[in-house]
Amino acid sequence: MSGFGLTLMATDGAARRGRVETAHGAIDTPAFMSVGTAATVKAMTWDAVRSTGAQIVLGNTYHLMLRPGAERVASLGGLHRFTGWDGPILTDSGGYQVMSLAERCTIDESGVTFASHIDGSRHHLTPERAVDIQRQLDADVTMVLDECTPFPATHDAARLSMERSMRWAARCREAFVARAGYGLFGIVQGGVYPDLRAASVAALTGIGFDGYAVGGLAVGEGQQTMLEVLDATVPLLPAERPRYLMGVGRPEDIVAAVRRGVDMFDCVLPTRSGRTAQAFTRRGTLGLRNRRHLHDERPVDDSCACPVCRQHSRAYIHHLFRAGEMLGPMLLTWHNLHFYQAVMATLREAIGAGRFEAVATALERDLALGDIEATVDPLAGRNGADG
Amino acid sequence: MSGFGLTLMATDGAARRGRVETAHGAIDTPAFMSVGTAATVKAMTWDAVRSTGAQIVLGNTYHLMLRPGAERVASLGGLHRFTGWDGPILTDSGGYQVMSLAERCTIDESGVTFASHIDGSRHHLTPERAVDIQRQLDADVTMVLDECTPFPATHDAARLSMERSMRWAARCREAFVARAGYGLFGIVQGGVYPDLRAASVAALTGIGFDGYAVGGLAVGEGQQTMLEVLDATVPLLPAERPRYLMGVGRPEDIVAAVRRGVDMFDCVLPTRSGRTAQAFTRRGTLGLRNRRHLHDERPVDDSCACPVCRQHSRAYIHHLFRAGEMLGPMLLTWHNLHFYQAVMATLREAIGAGRFEAVATALERDLALGDIEATVDPLAGRNGADG
């Protein structure tokens, strides 16, 4: 073990306020990790990422191993130096994206064989190779290679898949080179079956990891099933290690998972939605391409302190998306990431103050409210174009 | 006249260091205006535009009248409020882009009739309408509607076109509503013919404008011809009014025009090039998609103080363009605009210090040098991809 662990600063019910120290700085938890797939958080400068309050970002091993290549990143000094982001970085193992994005993908006990979606080149990703690539990338948090159990899966299929993932997890632990401030996280699998999740937790804690992720969720099972799996899994995890719910989610999913003791999250929703004109607000989501925003001088979210909401109207952002201007995705990604980080800060503060349930309930209630009706368009019925 | 004029702070040969006061702040000249076509400088936040040292931006009347529409912008408080850019804005008259971008364009004495390239809607742009649209946009500097003389043109064709533009200029002057800090610029036409340029200057100064632009250049005539036209034109312009060379240009063109007494410039080169991986540097241009930058850890320009050159390597920007990531255009546009503004600041300082010719000559020499050879790739001959 590397000594990489969670300092618990407060608990409130099952919710935890903590801090994780890494080689590149601390992460206050509960934490949301912005997704920086190909060595960039899409449409964001790194200064902008920092300004949202982000303390840790996620890189995708699959994308980076193909382009520019892990050896390339290593020879350029690792991801921190390559990107200019000097804070903590977590990388996934590549497994999930190999199985969802790559071509001609085959899995056997040794690992995964696949063809690059970029140039068709053949690659073999083993547990040992996944760990080594993440070392080359200089990831503060390395994730074990696991098999993505399809959803839905029978109990037998989920068991066989989980058991293989556990054997791979042991190989990853063997391959991981301990370094101060660097950690390796195991991933709990087992589909929607509580007994398999419990067996997976037992296998992983038997091996011993620096943190524990819950994988195989947010794959179409719905929020209720996801929360049932968390209820069956999170209490079994060691309290002194960070808990990471992979690929989740909407703000309301995050609130519900923090309530159950989860510490770390990642999701493409704020960034991907930012590029498709969907905004997250305190009162739920907004589609800014909708013509009802044509003359709306309000900010995206009037309770938001981000630079976008301080400076720009919905009408302007609507125009940018209609005109196909890059500034639309840039501004909305920035706002969305700021919104997510603000939610996390609110949750952390609430746990520290012993007010988690009241604050979480208010957040959930507001998220379900929906937007306030737009202002009336003074040019309604007239042609939007002049001449 | 509105009192909108140029305060000359220093001259050095024909080069001028001045300041133009507008309703939204001062412009130090010689000045480069970043192009913000559709109410956005492409790939830039407005804070980033400010940080490059930009004091004034240019908006395109043609694009804005079609989308979101001048009335729409006016009802949202004008371009400053709509965009969040609170500094000076100059708008072109729309004529040049109507004649180059629109469909089914016909010109007669009344003005230009055309179809929108966006939705095919028909529009009629007259001198009066062009001025009124720019008032609705709240442009600090309004440009007269002029006819874009084709290049090459015979003396007769250039004369007839120029004479129509002069009649339109008089109509624009009539239509312009004087407001403190707002100005109307005339545009000198006449192709490559010194006598026509002189006649155009005489016509415009007879009408009286707040500033004088030289139009119809940078249309394929080459730098030498362009400078000959400037030599025949600029000395005839009133010294107490700003002089604006439209659509120019490369850094070396700007240096040469400042040497001849030009005060203001605009060009899409730094922004457009930024989106196509071309960087401007002290030693000329660089194509950052070129594989020779694959392992180049140097900044784009080691003499540049912009945030991009302080934080990122050529290798990183090369990767971003190869991966099709928006951050590539974002970073390179930022660098290019910063580079252009740094050149202008250098020229202003040199004029103020009475050292223009020495500084300009050194700039021109360096721009012609070309890049220093890239570092050796330590992974040369190996597959860039892992696995």
Side-chain angles (χ1 to χ4, degrees), chain B residues 148-165:
Chain B
C148 301
T149 312
F151 176 84
T154 63
H155 189 279
D156 258 10
R159 181 179 57 79
L160 290 170
S161 173
M162 180 274 285
E163 288 172 352
R164 172 174 284 167
S165 286

Side-chain angles (χ1 to χ4, degrees), chain B residues 59-71:
Chain B
N60 288 125
T61 286
Y62 170 73
H63 287 91
L64 293 167
M65 70 183 282
L66 298 181
R67 187 171 55 198
E71 287 181 313

